[in-house]
Amino acid sequence: MAATLIRGQNVDIRMWTRPDEVEEFAMRQLQNISALPWAVKHIAVMPDVHYGKGATVGSVIALRDAVSPAAVGVDIGCGMTAVRTSLTASDLPETLRGLRSRMEAVVPVGFGQHKATAFTERDASDWGSFWKRFDDLTPAVKARADKAMHQMGTLGGGNHFLEVCLDTDQRVWVMLHSGSRGIGNELAQHHISVARTLAHNAELPDPDLAVFLSGTPEMAAYRHDLYWAQDYARRNRAVMLRLVCDVLRAEFPRVLFEEPISCHHNYVAEETHFGEDVLVTRKGAIRAGRGELGIIPGSMGTGSYIVRGLGNPDSFQSASHGAGRKMSRNKARKTFTAQDLAAQTSGVECRKDSGVVDEIPGAYKDIDTVMANQSDLVEVVAKLKQVVCIKG
């Protein structure tokens, strides 16, 4: 669909969804974001947009010499990784419960962590230098080093997941969604709190939109910690992918894996748009530069898409990060039951209890509508349907 342009305050708002389908609180947030004096050109709003802390989920913001940590989100570097295997549906056992159990045994979920560190030189060759950089993070997290090491290679809870999927050619894929775990959250919360105290943010319409300015020690400290957390998130997904692929290797000794696809969807990048060097925050959005591969998941019962970016300049070369919630977790728990969850995830080997009812497909927007709304941002490479879904 063609994007809709709405009058903002300092800059306009360009939306890849119908304005009347955006919740009132989210629309108010977008107007607040458009008032930021550092904003460049317009605010790009993805079709999965919904209310978030400070900045809406599904927003892409280009700022001149400034960055708002709330426009990144508290799960710094959260994103997706997927890999296509040589297996086909016919290779999988008739009952997938055992495969799910073996995967759950190697990847802790929820608040779980590894008893012994899980990362190895098979995942990266520079772990020493990576962990040494931990010493230079804000002193507020200095006591978290051991926890961060043992959470490396863990899934977390909420909307994070690990899946085995089939594409339309019946090829088997492994796909997972996770971020920078507890350490990324603590770093984000610390810097959001710092930003709120700075004098230049006193007149902002929402204190949670507080920014750091280039050339200041606060900005330097934030960017240092931010880039480390984004790296942590990328490595976290790589470790989990290797652990799960090892399960498949044990089960299917001849299995082969293609090159993984990986993308952040809560992050900051230094980019050039409309002839200007800017700091781009994508909160619930992936980069979709021309030819770049990305992953756009749906909910736990509806499937996902592998996409190729079209490089649309009006979206700051971005696309949605998923289906996006249409109701809060609390509302989902009040609206649906475990029986509803079982019905909506029929055919998927997954949890079907009340503990994950807030992740029921009915709490999310329709992924196919989301994809149709961004046909000028990405093209579909493959459509996947999960047969195993693991959640915390």
Side-chain angles (χ1 to χ4, degrees), residues 125-134 228 235:
S125 60
D126 60 344
W127 288 110
S129 60
F130 172 75
W131 290 116
K132 186 172 178 57
R133 285 160 53 203
F134 187 97
W228 184 90
R235 291 168 184 261

Side-chain angles (χ1 to χ4, degrees), residues 46-327:
M46 302 298 100
D48 59 341
V49 61
H50 59 279
Y51 180 78
K53 180 178 174 62
T56 47
V57 180
S59 58
V60 183
I61 307 166
L63 297 184
R64 182 185 299 108
D65 297 323
V67 66
S68 170
V72 180
V74 294
D75 191 359
I76 298 172
C78 185
M80 301 287 305
T81 295
V83 65
R84 189 167 79 155
T85 79
S86 59
L87 301 173
T88 64
S90 61
D91 294 315
L92 297 176
E94 185 174 342
T95 300
L96 294 170
R97 182 164 297 179
L99 182 61
R100 172 188 159 198
S101 296
R102 286 186 284 278
M103 291 180 172
E104 289 174 332
V106 299
V107 176
V109 302
F111 293 106
Q113 59 187 47
H114 291 282
K115 293 180 180 178
T117 55
F119 53 90
T120 74
E121 290 191 356
R122 292 176 60 196
D123 310 307
S125 60
D126 60 344
W127 288 110
S129 60
F130 172 75
W131 290 116
K132 186 172 178 57
R133 285 160 53 203
F134 187 97
D135 297 335
D136 298 325
L137 299 178
T138 175
V141 301
K142 282 295 168 59
R144 302 301 190 189
D146 186 71
K147 180 181 178 182
M149 287 184 176
H150 286 82
Q151 282 195 327
M152 176 64 73
T154 65
L155 190 66
N159 63 350
H160 294 162
F161 63 79
L162 166 61
E163 291 183 341
V164 178
C165 306
L166 300 177
D167 63 20
T168 52
D169 295 326
Q170 299 298 290
R171 288 284 289 275
V172 174
W173 290 68
V174 175
M175 184 167 66
L176 58 89
H177 172 207
S178 191
S180 52
R181 306 296 289 111
I183 188 64
N185 184 289
E186 290 194 39
L187 288 169
Q189 298 284 8
H190 167 77
H191 287 289
I192 289 173
S193 297
V194 171
R196 288 169 63 108
T197 69
L198 301 178
H200 61 259
N201 293 314
E203 302 301 320
L204 293 181
D206 182 351
D208 282 329
L209 284 175
V211 305
F212 294 118
L213 300 180
S214 295
T216 64
E218 293 87 0
M219 172 70 104
Y222 175 62
R223 290 178 70 174
H224 174 274
D225 292 357
L226 168 87
Y227 293 143
W228 184 90
Q230 289 180 181
D231 193 14
Y232 182 104
R234 177 185 61 81
R235 291 168 184 261
N236 183 46
R237 293 193 293 272
V239 173
M240 279 190 286
L241 185 65
R242 189 260 304 163
L243 291 169
V244 172
C245 288
D246 281 351
V247 170
L248 292 180
R249 289 186 181 98
E251 191 87 4
F252 311 99
R254 295 184 179 180
V255 65
L256 299 174
F257 300 93
E258 297 184 1
E259 188 69 21
I261 302 166
S262 185
C263 57
H264 291 322
H265 54 226
N266 281 15
Y267 75 112
V268 177
E270 301 170 44
E271 298 178 357
T272 302
H273 293 279
F274 301 101
E276 189 165 355
D277 293 335
V278 291
L279 287 165
V280 177
T281 55
R282 294 185 174 91
K283 181 178 181 178
I286 63 171
R287 180 173 165 84
R290 180 166 295 279
E292 294 180 350
L293 293 175
I295 308 164
I296 302 178
S299 61
M300 63 189 289
T302 59
S304 303
Y305 287 89
I306 306 298
V307 299
R308 183 179 291 110
L310 297 177
N312 190 319
D314 286 336
S315 70
F316 300 106
Q317 299 186 33
S318 307
S320 78
H321 84 312
R325 298 192 72 92
K326 67 180 181 182
M327 66 175 65

